[in-house]
């Protein structure tokens, strides 16, 4: 039969004739044949299988071999011995090289025919040794795929124990040498299929023997972190990622990012190569692992690596968006890389030129998934253009091409940016000194206490939370960098865009501190605010004079509003009138104001004098003054050191006074008599008179100072008035317009409250509450209802959101709070009292034009783009900050094993008074622990 078969193969018969002859040969296998004939047939079929000239000959060989092996099992066992298998694997067959995939296919076939024979176990042992040798020789993808198929079908051939671990490691390294140079889709699909078979084998081994998984992954990292310039590992390694259990992410990323033996260059290489894996078509979870590693590196402050990798790979990641099969994972990585790269627009601007073509392609490619993908992509682009506004030349075409697509709201954008920043990544891998002070969840920046500077910090945060004032300051185009307004603009820019949790305003402190304020001493925040606004006003006036002197009369525009920004925002006007009660002659004087100082009604007045007029003598005795903030410890010889000289004064009983009560008292008529009699020029004598005050021009921002400290000249006692004044969220200010009879109530909404914590005018601490509002958030009907005391009015329309609308600024610390906390703070902590209030004027009928831009130009509907000079300063400082954090983290990591120090995490403001001097109190940076001996917070 072997002669017939051999002749058949070499004959010129047709295929059908050959098949008929083969059928007879197969049927003859059932008959008795000699051992010699069997061996000859096995040798012939082996030669056909391994050396056949075409697929038909190989098919004939397999068909006949299978038939003879089934009916002549002992003879086949003798032929397919372990020695023969070893010869095939080590030497090949005839002119066929040992690395030819056909040899593996042949062995695979023969093992299926011998699976029930005891002798096959010896062959398994041989193959276990040989496959380990083979993978160490870095076989080509085709051979490796055939070998993986064999081992998947015959798991007994897979090396065990230590050899099994070594086999997995070597197989991983073999994959790293895979490369495909094909250009045809069929060839590419074949290559991907081969790699998939190999990775599936590893998956099965890892499942069967979990001890092999971690060494395999260590080998993966060793490969991709190699800095050898002559070695470029294959992206086929990406096929392994989908087989790594997701629950291992935390453990593995911790191991990688905290390992001091992993050098920066190696980590950079590894991350870059993992990002390259996004190009692998069938890989799953690559984006998850890449993002996890990016977050892990941010958590341990390895910002240099993140910066280098982002700038190096951002364009490659963007280019993956063009390919539907990998675009979803690429978008996830691109989003994280762009949103976290917040210290500079450099990364975003690298991909900006490609945005418009991609959007146009997504609109027209006709794929069912493109529409949803386009919405995700444009949301990312909106976030980035918001973060780095001020580049209309780059963004105009983008805005035009996406103008009809949904745009995320500003609050959502802020939330996304805040959660994505590198400095917001919590480090769950380290403890104690390795934990960095990250920016608070509010997204707002604190101010470092530079030594009794809480008075300045609270005022700066109050001005910053005055939305329209902040926007106008940031939109100013100022020449020269030495003006105070320029320094305020820079400070506001840092508060809005720095990545620091708290910014140290040293330059602004030096420029804005009143000359009579002693360095390092507690000061009055109201006095500082008044001085600051006056300085800014006078500075702008001076610049206006200098500019106008250089203009010709033709260049001077008639009707221009020459008011300064301070006048436009905080300026109001009062008319003080005095009417002689003898001749009824009235003398009036108009005066500008930037704040109203509200005195408390004296205790004697509330009990003994039911008349509405102001008291005659008491206000002159109780010379109510300002509050100093800084320290609860007094200097030797100060007034508080004498116990008899300090008194607390509770002025009124229930019900509580309210802010409108104090405003009404401020505007109430006052009788001038006795020692305070008025000299009437018409009467030419001292006469009894009535003094009145009326607001004739209401400011955009109404600043109210509650005069809580008074000095009793008779008793020589310095008193703090601890009355709990009810603070309404909305109120109305009586304003005279056009005459005595035209009194209009101007509606205001509360913007900020500066609190003083302490019982003395010489000490204490300032902190502030603020709400980010603009003029369009409250209707007049709402204001009218809420101008009543809280128990009589209605619930705020924003009550469902108010817990996150209000912020507590306590030097370096910024936390969310609620308006209820603002109103109840004095009830909970009696020494913490409201001192300076800021209200924002609401729109009057007819004033709202162009969607929120007021007729007087004072309302800006959006945050202005950062000017280049400001942006450059922030980018420079953000880079410096990241370098500082990275250096600090590396230093602390070396000290961590011997350190037992830990910090208490930020908590809510409901347990301890916000002005307390605990670990979470206001001292940060230069005003922190190095000055604790002075108890300055």
């Amino acid at each position: 039969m072997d002669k017939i078969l051999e002749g058949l193969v070499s004959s010129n018969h047709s295929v059908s004739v050959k098949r008929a002859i083969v059928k007879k040969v197969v049927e003859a296998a059932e008959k008795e044949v000699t051992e010699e004939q069997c061996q000859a047939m096995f040798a012939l079929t082996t030669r056909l299988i391994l050396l056949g000239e075409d697929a038909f000959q190989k098919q004939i060989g397999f068909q006949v071999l299978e038939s003879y092996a089934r009916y002549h099992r002992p003879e086949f066992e003798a032929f397919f011995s372990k020695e023969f298998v070893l010869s095939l694997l080590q030497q090949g067959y005839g002119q066929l090289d040992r690395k030819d995939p056909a040899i593996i296919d042949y062995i695979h076939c023969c093992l299926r025919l011998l699976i029930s024979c005891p002798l096959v176990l010896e062959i398994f042992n041989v193959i276990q040794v040989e496959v380990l040798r083979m993978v160490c020789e870095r076989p080509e993808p085709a051979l490796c795929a055939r070998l993986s198929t064999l081992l998947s079908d015959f798991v007994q051939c897979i090396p065990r124990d230590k050899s099994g671990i070594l086999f997995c490691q070597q197989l991983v390294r073999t994959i790293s040498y895979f490369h495909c140079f094909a250009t045809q889709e069929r060839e590419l699909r074949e290559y991907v299929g081969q790699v998939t078979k190999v990775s599936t084998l590893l998956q099965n081994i890892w499942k069967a023997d979990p001890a092999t998984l971690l060494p395999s992954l260590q080998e993966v990292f060793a490969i991709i972190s190699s800095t050898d310039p002559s070695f470029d590992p294959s992206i086929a390694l990406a096929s392994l990622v989908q087989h790594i259990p997701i629950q291992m992410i935390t453990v593995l990323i911790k191991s990688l990012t905290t390992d001091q033996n992993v050098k920066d260059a190696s980590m950079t290489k590894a991350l870059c190569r993992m990002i390259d894996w996004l190009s692998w078509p069938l890989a799953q979870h690559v984006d998850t692992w890449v993002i996890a590693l990016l977050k892990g590196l941010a958590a341990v402050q390895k910002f240099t690596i993140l910066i280098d990798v982002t700038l190096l790979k951002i364009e490659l990641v963007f280019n993956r968006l063009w390919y539907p099969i990998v675009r979803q994972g690429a978008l996830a990585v691109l989003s994280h890389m762009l949103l976290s790269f917040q210290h500079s627009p450099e990364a975003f601007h690298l991909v900006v030129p490609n945005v418009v073509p991609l959007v146009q392609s997504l609109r027209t490619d006709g794929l069912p998934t493109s529409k949803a993908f386009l919405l995700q992509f444009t949301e990312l682009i909106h976030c980035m253009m918001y973060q780095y506004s001020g580049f209309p030349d780059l963004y105009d075409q983008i805005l035009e091409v996406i103008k009809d697509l949904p745009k995320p709201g500003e609050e959502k954008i802020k939330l996304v940016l805040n959660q994505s920043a590198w400095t917001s990544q919590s480090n769950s891998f380290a403890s104690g000194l390795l934990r960095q002070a990250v920016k608070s969840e509010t997204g707002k920046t604190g101010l470092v206490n530079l030594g009794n500077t809480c008075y300045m910090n609270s005022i700066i945060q109050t001005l910053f939370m005055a939305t329209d004032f902040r926007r106008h300051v940031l939109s100013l185009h100022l020449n020269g960098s030495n003006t105070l307004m320029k320094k305020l603009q820079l400070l506001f820019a840092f508060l809005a865009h720095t990545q620091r949790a708290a910014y140290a305003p040293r330059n602004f402190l030096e420029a804005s501190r009143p000359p009579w304020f002693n360095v390092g001493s507690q000061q009055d925040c109201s006095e500082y605010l008044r001085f600051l606004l006056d300085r800014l006003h006078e500075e702008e006036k001076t610049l206006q004079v200098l500019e106008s002197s250089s203009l010709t009369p033709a260049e001077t525009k008639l009707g221009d509003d020459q008011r300064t920004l301070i006048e436009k925002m905080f300026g109001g006007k009062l008319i003080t009138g005095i009417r002689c009660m003898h001749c009824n002659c009235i003398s009036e004087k108009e005066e500008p104001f930037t704040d109203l100082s509200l005195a408390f009604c004296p205790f004697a007045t509330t009990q003994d004098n039911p008349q509405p007029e102001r008291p005659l003598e008491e206000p002159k005795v109780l010379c109510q003054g300002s509050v100093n903030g800084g320290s609860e410890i007094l200097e030797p010889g100060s007034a508080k050191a004498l116990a008899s000289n300090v008194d607390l004064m509770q002025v009124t009983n229930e019900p509580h006074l309210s802010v409108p009560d104090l405003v009404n008292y401020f505007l109430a008529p006052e009788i001038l008599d006795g020692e305070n009699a008025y000299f009437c020029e018409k009467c030419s004598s001292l006469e009894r008179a009535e003094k009145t005050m009326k607001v004739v021009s209401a400011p955009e921002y109404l600043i109210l100072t509650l005069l809580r400290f008074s000095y009793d000249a008779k008793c020589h006692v310095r008193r703090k008035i601890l009355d709990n004044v009810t603070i309404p969220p909305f109120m109305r200010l009586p304003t005279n317009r056009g005459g005595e009879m035209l009194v209009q109530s101007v509606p205001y909404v509360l913007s900020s409250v500066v609190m003083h914590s302490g019982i003395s005018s010489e000490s204490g601490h300032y902190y502030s509450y603020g709400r980010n509002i603009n003029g369009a958030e409250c209707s007049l009907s709402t204001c009218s209802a809420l101008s009543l005391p809280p128990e009589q009015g209605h619930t705020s329309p924003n009550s469902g959101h108010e817990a996150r609308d209000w912020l507590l600024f306590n030097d370096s610390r910024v936390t969310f709070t609620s308006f209820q906390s603002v109103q109840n703070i004095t009830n909970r902590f009696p020494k913490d009292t409201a001192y300076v209030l800021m209200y924002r004027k609401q729109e009057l009928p007819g004033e709202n034009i162009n969607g929120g831009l007021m007729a007087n130009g004072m309302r800006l509907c959006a945050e202005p783009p950062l000017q280049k000079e400001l942006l450059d300063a922030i980018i420079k400082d953000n880079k410096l900050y990241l370098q500082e954090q990275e250096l600090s983290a590396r230093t602390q990591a070396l000290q961590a094993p011997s350190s037992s120090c830990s910090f208490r995490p930020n908590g809510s403001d409901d347990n301890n008074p916000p002005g307390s001097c605990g670990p979470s109190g206001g001292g940060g940076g230069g005003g922190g622990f190095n000055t604790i001996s002075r108890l300055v917070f």
Side-chain angles (χ1 to χ4, degrees), residues 357-631:
L358 179 62
V359 171
Q360 293 171 337
S361 173
L362 291 171
R363 286 181 179 273
T364 59
D365 64 10
L367 295 176
T369 58
S370 293
K371 183 177 180 180
F373 182 83
L374 178 59
L375 295 178
Q376 296 175 356
F377 177 69
T378 53
E379 182 172 305
L380 168 65
I381 298 304
H382 276 300
C383 288
M384 297 313 301
M385 290 191 296
Y386 176 90
Q387 173 71 3
Y388 292 111
S389 56
F391 297 91
D393 53 323
L394 295 179
Y395 302 159
D396 278 347
Q397 289 186 333
I398 297 177
L399 289 173
E400 179 65 24
V401 79
I402 64 175
K403 63 183 179 182
D404 60 327
L405 297 172
K407 178 181 178 181
E410 185 174 347
E411 289 305 314
K412 181 179 181 180
I413 291 175
K414 289 180 178 179
L415 179 63
V416 169
L417 290 169
N418 184 42
Q419 293 175 342
S420 303
W422 287 335
T423 50
S424 69
Q425 304 304 321
S426 60
N427 184 359
S428 59
F429 309 143
S431 60
L433 288 174
L434 283 179
R435 294 187 183 273
Q436 70 176 82
V438 299
K439 206 164 188 176
S440 80
E441 61 173 341
T442 65
K444 300 297 182 182
T445 304
L447 286 170
V448 176
N449 191 312
L450 302 174
N452 280 351
T453 58
C454 57
Y455 69 89
M456 177 188 71
N457 291 349
S458 59
I459 292 300
I460 294 302
Q461 295 287 18
T462 295
L463 293 175
F464 181 79
M465 295 302 288
T467 308
D468 293 316
F469 177 64
R470 175 183 73 245
R471 290 174 177 174
H472 274 279
V473 169
L474 290 174
S475 64
L476 292 173
H477 293 274
L478 303 170
N479 296 321
S481 59
N482 293 323
T483 63
L484 185 59
M485 182 63 80
K486 184 69 176 180
K487 289 180 170 61
L488 180 64
Q489 184 184 59
L490 183 62
L491 177 54
F492 277 4
F494 272 105
L495 286 177
H497 298 284
T498 184
Q499 289 193 305
R500 297 180 185 271
Y503 180 73
R506 292 183 177 85
N507 292 336
F508 191 79
L509 172 63
E510 294 301 321
S512 65
R513 182 195 293 119
W516 58 90
F517 277 20
N518 293 326
V519 176
S521 297
Q522 58 270 28
Q523 305 295 343
D524 170 40
C525 76
S526 176
E527 185 179 4
Y528 174 76
L529 173 60
R530 210 170 287 120
F531 174 81
L532 176 61
L533 296 182
D534 185 62
R535 275 277 311 276
L536 293 170
H537 165 72
E538 293 298 332
E539 182 181 84
E540 187 174 351
K541 274 293 186 186
T542 302
L543 292 175
Q544 286 178 354
V545 171
L546 293 175
E547 289 176 1
S548 62
S549 64
S550 62
L551 297 177
T552 64
E555 293 174 320
T556 304
K557 295 181 181 179
L558 296 177
D560 280 357
D561 189 352
Q562 295 299 312
R563 294 181 301 161
T564 66
L565 179 59
I566 301 303
E567 289 178 303
K568 294 174 183 176
M569 283 293 176
F570 304 103
K573 291 182 181 179
L574 277 172
I575 289 183
T576 302
I578 299 179
R579 179 178 64 87
C580 175
M581 301 181 73
H582 180 262
C583 67
N584 284 328
C585 179
I586 298 176
S587 172
E588 289 187 334
K589 180 181 180 182
E590 183 177 281
E591 297 176 302
F593 71 88
T594 53
D595 73 305
L596 299 180
S597 298
L598 305 182
F600 284 74
C601 182
F603 181 67
T605 303
T606 62
Q607 290 185 342
D608 303 330
N609 189 359
Q611 300 177 4
E613 290 85 8
R614 286 174 174 258
L616 300 180
E617 299 295 336
E618 289 295 337
K620 305 304 177 182
V621 176
L622 294 173
C623 304
Q624 299 182 0
S626 60
V627 183
N628 288 335
S631 173

Side-chain angles (χ1 to χ4, degrees), residues 30-50:
E30 301 177 14
K31 302 176 182 179
E32 270 193 36
V33 294
T34 63
E35 181 179 350
E36 183 180 354
Q37 290 175 326
C38 281
Q39 296 297 329
M41 185 62 72
F42 291 145
L44 175 59
T45 54
T46 298
R47 188 165 66 254
L48 288 175
I49 294 171
L50 295 177

